[in-house]
């Protein structure tokens, strides 16, 4: 009998030896789609072939660090999952909730952590570690070292000490001490974002007669805690040089200005308390050129993140917010078809459902309650206590969401929503067309308010445009998004006595 040993991997740790063209020659969005397609082909379906491409040809062992083999194996996978976490924050929400006050080391012995959650914790902690190391070294250097080490130790059981020793020789960094801190850290940072703006670049930078493929982004970031955090901005440049990430120390506030290699701006973080983990500015938010293309990282004043004098904000997570649903509606639905019908009603947004999206209002958590258009029976109420009588301007937050494949739209063109503002003379109904207003705070008018309780109500009426599920365009039948009612936040601003 003959035994033939063959090398297990069918490709390099980069999946393919051929890589996409540089960003300058290829659209950044197309490159991201390319990476996503590869991940889908190799990791989806009933039978996954990803293990054939990620170098299971050596084993990393350690008596000090549990599951170090899984960590190092994922360490060499150049798949960027941060955009996926931005699009579907529920993928990392349970992980962040646990790691907010627990460590990776605790997760291994915590009986309340399921095997599925433990696997996700290891995965996202590894993504966090990689982003910190890529920030200090560079992506090319990190993956280059991993691939060389892998090739030199094929079919071997390697102790983590050897890996750390080689890492020290290559980069002068004590990786073992870094791993100890990483395994035992039981806090997550909070990174707050404000004044996030994406603008057009001057026409000459895009070429005469055509739209620029790049844009200019600026934003402020503040870390209110003690734990440092990494902020990732893909395809960005400062003074012509590529940058990917920024380290924000505890209690540090920075203004970051970058030129983007595509017409968008995605700001993400690997593991933070923020839900979602950053901000994604889409092309529909691009502003005209503002006359400034200075890039760099500058100190900023953190007071922009504090409540402004004379403002009262009630968010959908505050005590002054409540949802109103018709009495007996749930019971009737249950009797008519059982729990499954009620679950279906939730999926179809026939009643208020919480949705998380970076374009909703919030500080750490950006969420809102959403519902499909109804007859005015479902309502959302915001109440507060006015400290002193006078004139107040009332605002609502015109939030939006972006969910792939979702047949609902918050700011659907031609549709309207109905708010009622209560003052000393009673209720005043205001009809608003969300699509005609920019995202953010939108005024509902000025009112004289007495000292005491003030209230604003949104009901689930909508309409204003023909509500159909399909439309015909060029002989083809296409799905048309339905209107979504969004209950997010309300603000009262003192204007005078």
């Amino acid at each position: 009998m003959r035994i033939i040993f063959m090398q297990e991997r069918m490709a390099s740790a980069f999946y393919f030896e051929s890589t996409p063209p540089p960003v300058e020659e290829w659209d950044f969005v197309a490159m991201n789609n390319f990476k996503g397609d590869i991940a889908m082909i190799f990791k989806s379906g009933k039978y996954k072939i990803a293990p054939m491409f990620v170098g299971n040809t050596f084993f990393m062992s350690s008596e000090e660090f549990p599951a170090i083999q899984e960590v190092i194996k994922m360490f060499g996978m150049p798949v960027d999952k941060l955009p996926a976490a931005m699009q579907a924050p529920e993928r990392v929400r349970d992980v962040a909730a646990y790691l907010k006050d627990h460590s990776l080391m605790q997760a291994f012995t915590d009986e309340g952590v399921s095997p599925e959650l433990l696997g996700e914790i290891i995965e996202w902690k590894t993504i966090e570690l990689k982003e910190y190391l890529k920030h200090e070294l560079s992506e090319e250097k990190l993956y280059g070292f991993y691939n060389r080490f892998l090739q030199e130790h094929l079919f071997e059981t390697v102790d983590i000490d050897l890996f750390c020793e080689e890492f020290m020789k290559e980069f002068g960094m004590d990786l073992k001490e870094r791993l100890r801190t990483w395994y035992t850290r039981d806090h997550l940072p909070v990174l707050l974002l404000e004044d996030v703006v994406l603008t057009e670049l001057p026409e000459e930078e895009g070429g005469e007669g055509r739209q620029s493929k790049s844009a200019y982004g600026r934003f402020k970031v503040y870390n209110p805690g003690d734990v440092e955090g990494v902020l990732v901005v893909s395809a960005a440049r400062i003074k012509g040089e590529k940058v990917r990430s920024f380290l924000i120390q505890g209690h540090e506030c920075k203004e970051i200005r970058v030129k983007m290699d595509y017409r968008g701006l995605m700001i993400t973080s690997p593991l933070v308390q923020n839900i979602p983990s950053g901000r994604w500015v889409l092309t529909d938010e691009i502003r005209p050129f503002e006359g400034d293309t200075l890039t760099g990282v500058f100190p900023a004043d953190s007071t922009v993140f504090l409540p402004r004098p004379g403002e009262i904000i009630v968010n959908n997570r505050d005590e002054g917010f409540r949802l109103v649903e018709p009495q007996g509606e749930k019971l009737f639905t249950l009797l008519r078809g059982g729990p499954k019908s009620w679950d279906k009603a939730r999926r179809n947004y026939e009643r208020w459902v919480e949705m998380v999206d970076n374009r909703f209002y919030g500080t750490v958590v950006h969420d809102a309650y959403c519902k499909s258009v109804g007859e005015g029976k479902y309502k959302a109420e915001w109440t507060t206590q006015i400290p002193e009588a006078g004139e107040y301007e009332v605002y609502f937050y015109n939030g939006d969401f972006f969910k792939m494949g979702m047949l609902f739209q918050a700011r659907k063109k031609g549709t309207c929503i109905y708010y009622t503002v209560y003052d000393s003379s009673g209720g005043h109904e205001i009809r608003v067309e969300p699509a005609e207003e920019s995202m953010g705070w939108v005024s509902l008018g000025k009112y004289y308010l007495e000292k005491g309780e003030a209230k604003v109500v949104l009901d689930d009426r909508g309409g204003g445009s023909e509500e159909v599920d399909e439309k015909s365009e060029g002989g083809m039948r296409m799905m048309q998004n339905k209107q979504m009612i969004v209950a997010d936040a309300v603000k009262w601003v003192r204007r005078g006595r």
Side-chain angles (χ1 to χ4, degrees):
M1 181 179 67
R2 295 181 179 180
I3 300 177
I4 301 176
F5 292 95
M6 301 183 68
Q7 185 168 320
E8 179 183 331
R9 292 180 304 125
M10 296 177 63
S12 73
F14 266 82
Y15 293 118
F16 292 110
E17 293 298 338
S18 59
T19 57
V23 174
E24 291 83 0
E25 302 175 17
W26 206 32
D27 182 74
F28 177 77
V29 176
M31 184 172 70
N32 257 0
N33 291 340
F34 175 81
K35 291 180 179 178
D37 290 342
I38 292 175
M40 180 179 67
I41 292 170
F42 288 158
K43 301 191 74 174
S44 64
K46 185 176 180 181
Y47 303 102
K48 298 180 181 180
I49 62 172
M52 301 173 69
F53 295 83
V54 294
N56 289 313
T57 49
F58 83 110
F59 185 84
M60 187 71 68
S61 65
S62 173
E63 295 183 0
E64 183 177 358
F65 305 120
I68 193 64
Q69 164 64 12
E70 293 301 309
V71 173
I72 297 300
K73 185 173 69 175
M74 287 187 280
F75 199 76
M77 295 182 185
V79 178
D80 187 359
K81 291 198 172 186
L82 297 183
M86 178 69 70
Q87 174 62 214
E90 61 274 6
R91 294 185 180 184
V92 72
R93 192 170 190 171
D94 291 342
V95 174
Y98 183 83
L99 293 174
K100 181 175 67 174
D101 49 16
H102 293 82
S103 69
L104 173 59
M105 193 67 81
Q106 288 174 309
F108 288 110
T109 57
D110 191 336
E111 295 182 356
V113 175
S114 67
E116 293 78 13
L117 179 57
L118 179 58
E120 293 171 359
I121 289 173
I122 295 172
E123 179 180 28
W124 281 101
K125 281 290 290 183
T126 304
I127 291 171
E128 176 195 51
L129 178 62
K130 286 199 299 183
E131 290 299 337
Y132 275 83
L133 294 177
K134 284 192 289 186
H135 171 77
E136 296 183 44
L137 303 174
S138 81
E139 188 172 19
E140 292 77 12
K141 289 181 180 179
L142 185 62
Y143 290 139
F145 169 80
Y146 176 87
N147 286 329
R148 289 194 301 274
F149 187 89
L150 185 69
Q151 292 294 332
E152 292 170 3
H153 298 279
L154 290 174
F155 305 109
E156 294 180 15
T157 297
V158 181
D159 191 276
I160 188 63
D161 287 347
L162 178 59
F163 188 84
C164 293
E165 288 171 8
E166 294 297 322
F167 201 91
M168 173 66 83
K169 292 178 184 178
E170 182 84 11
F171 304 115
M173 181 186 297
D174 189 346
L175 181 61
K176 193 167 186 178
E177 187 59 37
R178 182 68 64 88
L179 285 171
R180 289 192 183 103
T181 302
W182 178 73
Y183 264 89
T184 57
R185 191 168 86 167
D186 57 2
H187 291 84
L188 291 181
V190 172
L191 296 179
L192 305 180
L193 297 171
E194 278 288 350
D195 298 338
V196 182
V197 176
L198 185 68
T199 64
E200 299 274 5
L201 282 171
E203 293 183 5
E204 59 269 23
E205 294 197 27
E208 187 176 353
R210 64 186 179 91
Q211 190 181 57
S212 173
K213 289 185 177 181
S214 53
Y216 176 72
R218 57 179 172 84
F219 59 91
K220 293 184 178 71
V221 55
Y222 174 50
N223 183 346
D226 299 323
V227 182
E228 65 183 20
V230 167
L231 206 65
V232 177
V233 185
S234 298
R237 294 178 183 270
I238 290 180
K239 298 179 180 179
E241 298 293 326
K242 289 184 179 181
V243 294
R244 173 180 167 81
S245 56
F246 307 88
L247 185 66
I248 311 300
Q249 300 287 350
H251 307 285
E252 190 173 51
C253 187
K254 297 288 186 183
E255 181 174 9
I256 298 175
R257 296 169 172 250
V258 293
K259 179 182 176 182
M260 303 301 299
D261 284 335
Y262 70 109
R263 291 172 57 80
L265 174 62
M266 180 177 286
I267 310 164
T268 60
S269 296
L271 266 182
V272 287
Q273 295 186 43
N274 307 71
I275 302 292
S277 58
R279 179 78 166 87
W280 190 1
V281 185
L282 303 175
T283 54
D284 63 342
E285 298 180 67
I286 294 183
R287 299 183 185 180
F289 176 60
E290 297 179 345
D292 185 7
T293 58
L294 177 68
T295 60
V297 181
F298 310 95
D301 187 355
S302 62
T303 57
V304 69
F305 294 88
L306 300 176
R308 293 172 174 82
E311 286 188 356
I312 303 172
I313 298 176
V314 177
N315 191 15
N316 60 283
R317 302 179 71 85
D318 296 331
E319 292 183 1
F321 175 82
R322 77 182 187 107
L323 298 172
V324 179
E325 298 186 345
Q327 287 187 343
E329 187 83 5
K330 182 174 181 178
L331 178 62
F332 176 73
T333 306
L334 290 171
L335 292 175
R336 184 174 55 186
K340 291 185 179 179
S341 293
W342 189 244
D343 291 341
K344 184 179 180 180
R346 288 181 62 88
R347 290 197 301 272
N348 292 332
Y349 292 88
E350 295 172 11
R351 62 187 297 258
W352 293 113
V353 177
E354 183 190 17
M355 184 187 295
V356 176
D357 194 278
N358 71 95
R359 303 212 280 186
F360 292 144
Y361 178 79
T363 50
V364 177
V365 179
H366 292 254
D367 64 348
Y369 282 91
C370 303
K371 187 190 175 299
S372 58
V373 172
E375 301 175 349
K377 297 179 181 179
Y378 289 78
K379 300 178 181 180
E381 294 183 357
W382 295 262
T383 60
T384 190
Q385 291 296 317
I386 299 298
E388 187 179 2
E391 185 181 57
Y392 289 79
E393 190 165 3
V394 182
Y395 297 80
F396 79 95
Y397 197 84
N398 192 26
D400 204 349
F401 59 86
F402 177 72
K403 302 289 183 185
M404 294 292 290
M406 189 171 184
L407 299 178
F408 289 95
Q409 189 174 349
R411 298 169 63 242
K412 183 180 179 182
K413 195 169 183 61
T415 61
C416 62
I417 55 176
Y418 296 88
Y419 279 90
T420 302
V421 178
Y422 290 86
D423 64 8
S424 55
S425 64
H428 304 270
E429 184 175 276
I430 299 96
R431 180 180 180 273
V432 182
E433 295 185 27
E436 300 303 317
E437 306 287 350
S438 60
M439 280 192 299
W441 294 110
V442 175
S443 177
L444 295 171
K446 297 179 181 179
Y447 305 87
Y448 184 84
L449 302 177
E450 299 286 355
K451 180 180 179 180
E453 185 176 278
K455 182 169 69 172
V456 175
V457 177
L458 169 70
D459 62 52
D460 67 343
R461 287 177 296 159
S465 69
E466 190 175 350
E467 288 291 332
V468 293
D469 291 343
E470 297 182 350
K471 62 180 179 180
S472 178
E473 186 173 307
M476 298 180 63
R477 302 202 53 90
M478 302 177 64
M479 296 301 296
Q480 182 178 356
N481 291 341
K482 298 180 180 180
Q483 183 187 3
M484 180 77 83
I485 308 297
V486 175
D488 197 348
V490 165
K491 177 170 67 172
W492 291 261
V493 180
R494 178 68 182 272
R495 294 304 183 196
R497 293 183 181 277

